[in-house]
Amino acid sequence: SAVISQKPSRDICQRGTSLTIQCQVDSQVTMMFWYRQQPGQSLTLIATANQGSEATYESGFVIDKFPISRPNLTFSTLTVSNMSPEDSSIYLCSVVPSGGLPYEQYFGPGTRLTVT
Amino acid sequence: GIQVEQSPPDLILQEGANSTLRCNFSDSVNNLQWFHQNPWGQLINLFYIPSGTKQNGRLSATTVATERYSLLYISSSQTTDSGVYFCAVEKYNFNKFYFGSGTKLNVKP
């Protein structure tokens, strides 16, 4: 398994501003993902954070809006840029630990974002 | 991608009752997980179960990969079981997970 922390745990932001969310893991991991969960909805994958290279974005998500960094195997950031109220969601970091099978995913506690 | 359907969408139980949650998926997968999202938003891993049956206390799960479905059984439910249960699948070499829409469970005392 893996112990994952996210900062901040919650924030209230004004529209037009940006927020950077941090994800820290206690061990090196193979894969890191960022998800968005809008109120009352399921999880939607934003992107796969690739170590040392550009993230791989899912359809409907773009780098200008959600820039992602992953400088090493234990840390990643997601920025929500030029925010609008529609960006109010829980943002979750997830990881798949290194070491082969099982390919089991673990989640951080999430960042609850409210945009006013 | 893979379509993942969960049923029922909502479930209300009296404490002590049993329930079965279902997850259907549209393609062959090499990974399936069940999660519980508690009222504070934290996702808890329940089972990694691409096939077969597993049990953990009052919870058990069965995946029949050839028929593309998985079941999560909750016995003697408690109020702490309340929350949303998600099924997520991953197809070999895709390296990403597809989530179902979830089953929202409310266990009343």
Side-chain angles (χ1 to χ4, degrees), chain A:
Chain A
S1 65
V3 178
I4 307 162
S5 61
Q6 284 187 234
K7 291 181 181 180
S9 59
R10 58 176 63 230
D11 207 341
I12 302 173
C13 301
Q14 291 193 338
R15 69 176 67 203
T17 62
S18 298
L19 176 71
T20 295
I21 302 167
Q22 298 180 4
C23 176
Q24 179 73 56
V25 193
D26 68 339
S27 58
Q28 293 185 351
V29 295
T30 303
M31 307 289 289
M32 293 184 80
F33 304 94
W34 287 99
Y35 287 85
R36 180 177 73 182
Q37 187 178 27
Q38 295 176 302
Q41 302 297 311
S42 183
L43 282 75
T44 301
L45 181 63
I46 298 172
T48 302
N50 300 309
Q51 192 263 328
S53 64
E54 191 172 290
T56 304
Y57 289 86
E58 296 300 304
S59 176
F61 297 95
V62 295
I63 188 171
D64 290 346
K65 176 67 176 177
F66 297 101
I68 289 170
S69 76
R70 188 180 173 189
N72 56 50
L73 294 176
T74 64
F75 183 79
S76 179
T77 66
L78 168 74
T79 299
V80 186
S81 303
N82 188 24
M83 288 184 285
S84 67
E86 292 71 34
D87 294 319
S88 297
S89 297
I90 300 175
Y91 291 85
L92 296 127
C93 166
S94 77
V95 305
V96 175
S98 301
L101 294 176
Y103 192 80
E104 188 169 357
Q105 186 175 202
Y106 294 87
F107 281 86
T111 296
R112 193 177 295 266
L113 171 63
T114 302
V115 183
T116 60

Side-chain angles (χ1 to χ4, degrees), chain B residues 23-40:
Chain B
C23 172
N24 292 334
F25 41 97
S26 63
D27 201 351
S28 58
V29 299
N30 69 305
N31 184 355
L32 187 146
Q33 289 183 250
W34 282 98
F35 296 91
H36 174 217
Q37 188 170 39
N38 64 26
W40 297 270

Side-chain angles (χ1 to χ4, degrees), chain B residues 37-77:
Chain B
Q37 188 170 39
N38 64 26
W40 297 270
Q42 175 73 59
L43 277 153
I44 308 299
N45 289 38
L46 295 178
F47 294 102
Y48 167 85
I49 186 165
S51 64
T53 297
K54 289 186 177 180
Q55 180 157 7
N56 184 2
R58 296 181 296 104
L59 273 59
S60 64
T62 295
T63 297
V64 183
T66 54
E67 298 187 20
R68 300 180 185 172
Y69 74 89
S70 183
L71 302 174
L72 177 68
Y73 306 96
I74 304 174
S75 64
S76 303
S77 58

